[in-house]
Short mmCIF file of all heavy atoms in Angstrom, two decimals:
data_model
loop_
_atom_site.label_atom_id
_atom_site.label_comp_id
_atom_site.label_asym_id
_atom_site.label_seq_id
_atom_site.Cartn_x
_atom_site.Cartn_y
_atom_site.Cartn_z
N VAL A 107 97.90 47.37 126.00
CA VAL A 107 97.13 47.25 124.79
C VAL A 107 97.93 46.64 123.67
O VAL A 107 97.57 45.77 122.91
CB VAL A 107 96.49 48.59 124.36
CG1 VAL A 107 95.88 48.49 122.99
CG2 VAL A 107 95.44 49.03 125.40
N THR A 108 99.20 47.14 123.54
CA THR A 108 100.13 46.69 122.48
C THR A 108 100.42 45.18 122.62
O THR A 108 100.55 44.46 121.69
CB THR A 108 101.41 47.53 122.49
OG1 THR A 108 101.10 48.89 122.34
CG2 THR A 108 102.31 47.07 121.38
N LEU A 109 100.56 44.78 123.86
CA LEU A 109 100.90 43.37 124.13
C LEU A 109 99.72 42.43 123.85
O LEU A 109 99.88 41.28 123.50
CB LEU A 109 101.41 43.18 125.54
CG LEU A 109 102.74 43.88 125.89
CD1 LEU A 109 103.07 43.70 127.33
CD2 LEU A 109 103.83 43.29 125.01
N VAL A 110 98.48 42.99 124.04
CA VAL A 110 97.30 42.19 123.96
C VAL A 110 96.74 42.14 122.52
O VAL A 110 96.33 41.08 122.02
CB VAL A 110 96.22 42.68 124.92
CG1 VAL A 110 94.90 41.95 124.65
CG2 VAL A 110 96.64 42.46 126.40
N VAL A 111 96.74 43.25 121.82
CA VAL A 111 96.13 43.33 120.51
C VAL A 111 97.13 42.79 119.47
O VAL A 111 98.24 43.33 119.37
CB VAL A 111 95.77 44.82 120.16
CG1 VAL A 111 95.19 44.87 118.72
CG2 VAL A 111 94.74 45.31 121.19
N PRO A 112 96.76 41.79 118.71
CA PRO A 112 97.70 41.19 117.79
C PRO A 112 98.16 42.15 116.67
O PRO A 112 99.35 42.14 116.35
CB PRO A 112 96.86 40.04 117.11
CG PRO A 112 95.81 39.75 118.14
CD PRO A 112 95.52 41.07 118.79
N GLY A 113 97.31 43.01 116.20
CA GLY A 113 97.71 43.93 115.16
C GLY A 113 98.75 44.96 115.63
O GLY A 113 99.46 45.56 114.78
N LEU A 114 98.84 45.20 116.91
CA LEU A 114 99.84 46.19 117.43
C LEU A 114 101.02 45.50 118.02
O LEU A 114 102.10 46.13 118.09
CB LEU A 114 99.13 46.99 118.59
CG LEU A 114 97.96 47.92 118.13
CD1 LEU A 114 97.38 48.62 119.39
CD2 LEU A 114 98.41 48.94 117.13
N HIS A 115 100.95 44.25 118.41
CA HIS A 115 102.03 43.54 119.06
C HIS A 115 103.28 43.54 118.18
O HIS A 115 104.40 43.77 118.74
CB HIS A 115 101.62 42.10 119.40
CG HIS A 115 102.70 41.34 120.05
ND1 HIS A 115 103.06 41.57 121.42
CD2 HIS A 115 103.46 40.30 119.67
CE1 HIS A 115 104.08 40.77 121.76
NE2 HIS A 115 104.30 39.96 120.71
N GLU A 116 103.12 43.32 116.94
CA GLU A 116 104.29 43.24 116.05
C GLU A 116 104.94 44.60 115.75
O GLU A 116 106.00 44.71 115.18
CB GLU A 116 103.95 42.52 114.75
CG GLU A 116 102.82 43.20 113.99
CD GLU A 116 102.39 42.37 112.77
OE1 GLU A 116 103.20 42.28 111.86
OE2 GLU A 116 101.23 41.89 112.81
N HIS A 117 104.26 45.67 116.16
CA HIS A 117 104.79 47.04 115.98
C HIS A 117 105.07 47.69 117.31
O HIS A 117 104.93 48.90 117.44
CB HIS A 117 103.79 47.82 115.17
CG HIS A 117 103.44 47.23 113.85
ND1 HIS A 117 104.29 47.15 112.81
CD2 HIS A 117 102.26 46.67 113.41
CE1 HIS A 117 103.69 46.54 111.78
NE2 HIS A 117 102.46 46.27 112.13
N ALA A 118 105.42 46.90 118.28
CA ALA A 118 105.75 47.44 119.61
C ALA A 118 106.87 48.47 119.64
O ALA A 118 106.81 49.44 120.35
CB ALA A 118 106.05 46.27 120.61
N GLY A 119 107.88 48.23 118.82
CA GLY A 119 108.99 49.20 118.67
C GLY A 119 108.52 50.54 118.24
O GLY A 119 108.90 51.61 118.79
N ALA A 120 107.67 50.61 117.18
CA ALA A 120 107.22 51.90 116.66
C ALA A 120 106.29 52.56 117.76
O ALA A 120 106.31 53.74 117.89
CB ALA A 120 106.41 51.65 115.39
N MET A 121 105.54 51.75 118.45
CA MET A 121 104.65 52.29 119.52
C MET A 121 105.47 52.94 120.60
O MET A 121 105.20 54.06 121.06
CB MET A 121 103.75 51.19 120.05
CG MET A 121 102.81 51.66 121.20
SD MET A 121 101.59 52.84 120.64
CE MET A 121 100.48 51.73 119.75
N MET A 122 106.54 52.29 121.04
CA MET A 122 107.33 52.82 122.09
C MET A 122 108.09 54.07 121.64
O MET A 122 108.20 55.11 122.39
CB MET A 122 108.37 51.79 122.61
CG MET A 122 107.78 50.64 123.40
SD MET A 122 106.77 51.21 124.82
CE MET A 122 107.99 52.19 125.70
N LEU A 123 108.60 54.04 120.47
CA LEU A 123 109.28 55.27 119.90
C LEU A 123 108.24 56.42 119.82
O LEU A 123 108.56 57.59 120.17
CB LEU A 123 109.86 54.96 118.54
CG LEU A 123 110.50 56.13 117.84
CD1 LEU A 123 111.66 56.70 118.67
CD2 LEU A 123 111.00 55.71 116.40
N GLY A 124 107.01 56.10 119.38
CA GLY A 124 106.01 57.12 119.30
C GLY A 124 105.61 57.68 120.67
O GLY A 124 105.44 58.91 120.83
N LEU A 125 105.55 56.80 121.69
CA LEU A 125 105.24 57.31 123.00
C LEU A 125 106.31 58.25 123.57
O LEU A 125 105.99 59.25 124.20
CB LEU A 125 105.04 56.07 123.92
CG LEU A 125 103.74 55.28 123.78
CD1 LEU A 125 103.79 53.98 124.53
CD2 LEU A 125 102.55 56.13 124.19
N LEU A 126 107.59 57.92 123.32
CA LEU A 126 108.64 58.81 123.76
C LEU A 126 108.55 60.15 123.10
O LEU A 126 108.76 61.21 123.68
CB LEU A 126 109.99 58.13 123.51
CG LEU A 126 110.33 56.91 124.35
CD1 LEU A 126 111.60 56.28 123.86
CD2 LEU A 126 110.42 57.29 125.82
N LEU A 127 108.21 60.17 121.79
CA LEU A 127 108.09 61.42 121.08
C LEU A 127 106.88 62.19 121.64
O LEU A 127 106.89 63.43 121.64
CB LEU A 127 107.98 61.21 119.58
CG LEU A 127 109.30 60.78 118.93
CD1 LEU A 127 109.07 60.29 117.48
CD2 LEU A 127 110.27 62.02 118.90
N VAL A 128 105.81 61.52 121.97
CA VAL A 128 104.65 62.15 122.54
C VAL A 128 105.03 62.86 123.86
O VAL A 128 104.61 64.02 124.13
CB VAL A 128 103.52 61.15 122.81
CG1 VAL A 128 102.43 61.76 123.64
CG2 VAL A 128 102.96 60.62 121.51
N LEU A 129 105.89 62.17 124.68
CA LEU A 129 106.35 62.83 125.88
C LEU A 129 107.15 64.09 125.62
O LEU A 129 106.96 65.14 126.26
CB LEU A 129 107.18 61.81 126.72
CG LEU A 129 107.90 62.36 127.98
CD1 LEU A 129 106.82 62.91 128.94
CD2 LEU A 129 108.75 61.33 128.65
N ALA A 130 108.06 63.98 124.63
CA ALA A 130 108.80 65.13 124.29
C ALA A 130 107.94 66.29 123.82
O ALA A 130 108.13 67.51 124.19
CB ALA A 130 109.88 64.83 123.21
N GLY A 131 106.91 65.96 123.04
CA GLY A 131 105.99 66.96 122.51
C GLY A 131 105.16 67.55 123.66
O GLY A 131 104.77 68.73 123.62
N ALA A 132 104.85 66.76 124.71
CA ALA A 132 104.09 67.22 125.85
C ALA A 132 104.88 68.35 126.58
O ALA A 132 104.26 69.18 127.29
CB ALA A 132 103.76 66.11 126.82
N TRP A 133 106.17 68.33 126.45
CA TRP A 133 106.96 69.41 127.12
C TRP A 133 107.10 70.64 126.28
O TRP A 133 107.81 71.56 126.68
CB TRP A 133 108.34 68.79 127.45
CG TRP A 133 108.42 68.01 128.70
CD1 TRP A 133 107.71 66.88 128.98
CD2 TRP A 133 109.14 68.26 129.88
NE1 TRP A 133 107.98 66.45 130.24
CE2 TRP A 133 108.86 67.25 130.78
CE3 TRP A 133 110.08 69.26 130.17
CZ2 TRP A 133 109.43 67.19 132.08
CZ3 TRP A 133 110.66 69.21 131.52
CH2 TRP A 133 110.34 68.22 132.34
N TYR A 134 106.45 70.68 125.14
CA TYR A 134 106.48 71.93 124.31
C TYR A 134 105.64 72.98 124.96
O TYR A 134 104.42 72.86 124.98
CB TYR A 134 106.01 71.57 122.90
CG TYR A 134 105.81 72.79 122.02
CD1 TYR A 134 106.76 73.75 121.95
CD2 TYR A 134 104.59 73.03 121.29
CE1 TYR A 134 106.61 74.94 121.18
CE2 TYR A 134 104.43 74.14 120.52
CZ TYR A 134 105.39 75.07 120.47
OH TYR A 134 105.24 76.18 119.68
N PRO A 135 106.24 74.08 125.39
CA PRO A 135 105.46 75.14 126.06
C PRO A 135 104.96 76.23 125.09
O PRO A 135 105.24 77.42 125.28
CB PRO A 135 106.47 75.64 127.08
CG PRO A 135 107.80 75.55 126.37
CD PRO A 135 107.69 74.33 125.52
N GLY A 136 104.30 75.79 124.00
CA GLY A 136 103.78 76.77 123.06
C GLY A 136 102.82 77.77 123.79
O GLY A 136 102.78 78.99 123.42
#
Side-chain angles (χ1 to χ4, degrees):
V107 170
T108 302
L109 294 176
V110 171
V111 178
L114 295 177
H115 180 71
E116 57 187 294
H117 303 291
M121 178 66 75
M122 289 306 304
L123 179 59
L125 287 169
L126 290 174
L127 286 168
V128 169
L129 174 61
W133 278 60
Y134 171 49

